[in-house]
Amino acid sequence: MNLDFSFFTLNIISNFIIKGLLFSIKLTLVTLVCGLIIGTMIAMMRLSKFKILNYPALGYVVLIRSLPFVMVILWVFILIPLVIGKSIGSENSAYITYIVFESAFYSEIMRSGIQSVKKEQMQAGYAVGLTYFQSMRYIILPQAFRNMLPVILTQTIVLFQDTSLVYAIGAYDLLKGFEIVSKNFNRPVEAYLIAAVVYFIICFSLSYGVKLTQRKVQIAK
Amino acid sequence: MIEFKNVSKWYGNFQVLNNCTFSIQKGDVVVICGPSGSGKSTLVKTINALESIQQGEIIVDGIKLNDPQTNLPQLRARVGMVFQNFELFPHLNVIENLTLAQIKVLGRSKDQAITYGLKYLERVGLLSQKDKFPGQLSGGQQQRVAIARALSMDPIIMLFDEPTSALDPEMVGEVLDVIVKLAKEGMTMCVITHEMSFAKNLSKRVIFMDEGKIVEDCSKDKFFGNPDLLSARAKEFLSKILRNN
Ligand SMILES: Nc1ncnc2c1ncn2[C@@H]1O[C@H](COP(=O)(O)OP(=O)(O)O)[C@@H](O)[C@H]1O
Ligand SMILES: [Mg+2]
């Protein structure tokens, strides 16, 4: 078999690959931020002393974790137009699905993060006159987040890899860029080989970054 | 200023506080002692409603704690508390530890809060450490910062829960000095401690607790000077602790 990479020029990169890469990154970042915020709220519900808040949060997490991701991606894409009467496009559909899905995972991370902070810290917050939400906001959550940072980043690397699952609904992500190139030049082996290298470089350097923060977190403790 | 009337508290079936009645006047310095598990920490934490009670009444500065109308955060802001394990906020540096609640609870401006904070840091002798993080300080320094944090809220009373029992012996003195100085300046305070020489030095009054009950509430002179007048439990506790020291 002869491998020929000559088709893969700067022009190709800027026309087909960058667009996909940007969407993959945007989907990852938007999901990270929204997922962390919603996930933190779910975690607080699960740990609340008010039992009525515990069960919906638990139900959400258990439900999401029991469903195949690709199925949910497809399902939301099909369902939303049926409900609201018009299509919102595959990209918006992806944002919604990823946020809904990843919130459940980030909530589990933030839950163990909150539990990793000694309960006396909450008392110390109350003792200086902070309310429950102020103590959470200024004392517990920053420590929970810091303790969990390596885990959050690791989850986010997996999330970046999982953005490729939007192929199911035809959104234009990094992988899709390579798919189009492979078809245009009829060079699938080479195109997907390059795709693998690109994913590897991005994820490997991110995990290396995680290792560094891990060391920092350890020292800060 | 602080009134406890027949206060009882249970954890499930276990009664931690049993019909406790006592009061603290402005300027009083009260030492609370008693065997471990006798309910001292729980009693002190009910003063700022960190622990709730099931029976009786607690009034702090004219405000009923069990009244649902009471704004507990505002009340707690005026009651300083120092914990056994310092409980500084590890992600904030020293001056941020001191200013957070001043800004968020008392509504002071940042500059104002820093001015107050620096004033109290100087009082506990740690002005030079203001930019360090708690993890970079010794235990004794952390506890002094914790005292400054409580003081910068202008409390009407200070509560200390075994403020030196988590410290290495060589650091106990610096923390006790700060507390004694505060007492001399007229701060109202309530101190749980096993340091008997410190207790003698500090207060005029001793409360002795056993199994959730206030067994003795008497003058220091009676407690340390006249063991024959004390209950059997208090006598036993005293002889044990004095032997160990
Ligand atoms: N959250 C809790 N649940 C059940 N029991 C508790 C709890 N907190 C404290 N206790 C019990 O209450 C008793 C009094 O505790 P504490 O007030 O900490 O005593 P002390 O400070 O005098 O050592 C102890 O027997 C302790 O085990
Ligand atoms: Mg105790």
Side-chain angles (χ1 to χ4, degrees):
Chain A
M1 187 171 70
N2 280 327
L3 292 181
D4 178 8
F5 292 98
S6 59
F7 69 93
F8 199 69
T9 59
L10 272 182
N11 215 357
I12 292 297
I13 293 177
S14 65
N15 282 341
F16 296 97
I17 306 302
I18 294 294
K19 179 182 172 194
L21 178 65
L22 286 181
F23 176 68
S24 290
I25 291 175
K26 226 167 90 186
L27 181 58
T28 304
L29 291 182
V30 170
T31 305
L32 168 66
V33 172
C34 298
L36 262 181
I37 293 171
I38 297 172
T40 300
M41 293 192 294
I42 295 170
M44 283 167 64
M45 283 171 67
R46 274 197 73 179
L47 295 171
S48 166
K49 64 178 178 193
F50 300 110
K51 289 270 177 293
I52 348 171
L53 296 176
N54 301 164
Y55 296 113
L58 177 66
Y60 183 80
V61 173
V62 169
L63 177 71
I64 293 289
R65 292 180 58 162
S66 318
L67 298 175
F69 194 13
V70 177
M71 189 204 81
V72 181
I73 293 171
L74 267 172
W75 191 66
V76 171
F77 183 65
I78 294 164
L79 191 75
I80 285 190
L82 288 182
V83 172
I84 66 169
K86 63 173 193 227
S87 168
I88 56 168
S90 56
E91 295 197 355
N92 288 329
S93 181
Y95 284 122
I96 293 172
T97 317
Y98 276 68
I99 291 168
V100 165
F101 207 85
E102 291 293 321
S103 294
F105 289 88
Y106 285 121
S107 91
E108 286 295 272
I109 296 173
M110 285 311 289
R111 185 168 67 106
S112 40
I114 292 170
Q115 286 173 323
S116 75
V117 181
K118 296 191 294 176
K119 80 172 202 307
E120 286 79 6
Q121 283 284 305
M122 195 72 187
Q123 289 209 335
Y126 284 146
V128 289
L130 298 175
T131 61
Y132 168 80
F133 284 106
Q134 288 176 321
S135 302
M136 271 290 168
R137 161 79 181 74
Y138 297 111
I139 297 168
I140 307 299
L141 291 179
Q143 294 184 60
F145 182 78
R146 191 189 66 185
N147 293 348
M148 288 296 124
L149 194 55
V151 186
I152 290 170
L153 292 177
T154 304
Q155 174 69 24
T156 306
I157 294 171
V158 176
L159 164 64
F160 178 76
Q161 294 164 351
D162 283 354
T163 56
S164 58
L165 297 177
V166 296
Y167 82 87
I169 54 175
Y172 197 135
D173 73 322
L174 180 59
L175 192 62
K176 177 84 168 187
F178 282 104
E179 185 197 323
I180 291 175
V181 171
S182 88
K183 283 193 176 132
N184 283 359
F185 294 90
N186 199 17
R187 287 262 166 220
V189 175
E190 289 87 343
Y192 285 121
L193 202 59
I194 299 171
V197 170
V198 171
Y199 274 105
F200 176 83
I201 290 174
I202 293 174
C203 294
F204 182 79
S205 21
L206 286 175
S207 357
Y208 188 73
V210 173
K211 266 215 191 92
L212 294 184
T213 57
Q214 220 156 12
R215 223 169 290 155
K216 273 223 181 93
V217 169
Q218 224 90 62
I219 292 167
K221 271 188 184 168
Chain B
M1 189 167 67
I2 287 171
E3 284 277 335
F4 272 62
K5 289 183 198 152
N6 307 103
V7 170
S8 294
K9 176 182 175 72
W10 286 262
Y11 285 120
N13 289 326
F14 175 70
Q15 185 163 14
V16 231
L17 297 179
N18 188 341
N19 216 16
C20 296
T21 300
F22 71 101
S23 65
I24 300 177
Q25 308 305 323
K26 194 167 179 342
D28 279 359
V29 176
V30 181
V31 160
I32 300 180
C33 60
S36 151
S38 57
K40 306 180 296 295
S41 297
T42 309
L43 182 80
V44 163
K45 284 177 183 169
T46 59
I47 297 179
N48 60 354
L50 286 183
E51 297 284 356
S52 60
I53 58 170
Q54 278 89 45
Q55 245 177 46
E57 190 171 73
I58 303 175
I59 299 172
V60 175
D61 202 28
I63 297 163
K64 276 191 197 147
L65 291 196
N66 3 13
D67 186 345
Q69 302 281 312
T70 301
N71 183 335
L72 288 180
Q74 286 300 328
L75 182 114
R76 290 187 185 120
R78 303 165 62 213
V79 177
M81 174 127 201
V82 175
F83 296 84
Q84 187 170 348
N85 292 309
F86 331 133
E87 303 308 334
L88 294 177
F89 307 133
H91 59 300
L92 302 177
N93 69 20
V94 166
I95 192 70
E96 288 165 343
N97 263 275
L98 267 63
T99 54
L100 176 68
Q102 292 187 62
I103 296 168
K104 301 296 172 199
V105 182
L106 300 181
R108 287 180 184 156
S109 72
K110 194 172 173 203
D111 288 344
Q112 234 179 340
I114 289 176
T115 310
Y116 270 87
L118 294 179
K119 178 173 119 191
Y120 288 107
L121 267 188
E122 182 159 26
R123 289 265 297 270
V124 300
L126 290 173
L127 199 51
S128 58
Q129 313 291 322
K130 69 182 170 66
D131 296 319
K132 293 226 175 112
F133 281 84
Q136 299 170 298
L137 303 178
S138 73
Q141 289 174 322
Q142 289 189 54
Q143 193 60 302
R144 282 146 68 198
V145 171
I147 295 172
R149 177 176 71 185
L151 288 175
S152 55
M153 301 293 286
D154 288 331
I156 54 172
I157 182 173
M158 287 283 287
L159 310 174
F160 295 87
D161 187 355
E162 303 196 30
T164 59
S165 59
L167 296 176
D168 292 335
E170 70 269 20
M171 292 168 189
V172 170
E174 63 188 72
V175 172
L176 295 186
D177 288 347
V178 169
I179 299 174
V180 168
K181 202 171 99 190
L182 263 180
K184 291 217 169 100
E185 289 165 4
M187 175 62 80
T188 311
M189 56 172 86
C190 189
V191 186
I192 301 174
T193 184
H194 291 300
E195 304 270 340
M196 284 302 134
S197 58
F198 164 63
K200 271 189 213 171
N201 227 318
L202 184 73
S203 77
K204 297 198 178 65
R205 181 171 157 208
V206 178
I207 288 177
F208 173 77
M209 285 189 76
D210 190 37
E211 296 180 339
K213 288 201 209 64
I214 294 183
V215 178
E216 303 282 349
D217 182 353
C218 62
S219 73
K220 156 181 93 175
D221 297 331
K222 178 181 167 197
F223 194 79
F224 293 109
N226 254 328
D228 293 337
L229 297 179
L230 297 178
S231 63
R233 289 293 289 161
K235 236 193 291 192
E236 190 188 326
F237 172 79
L238 257 181
S239 67
K240 218 184 256 169
I241 209 152
L242 292 177
R243 209 179 318 132
N244 286 348
N245 279 359

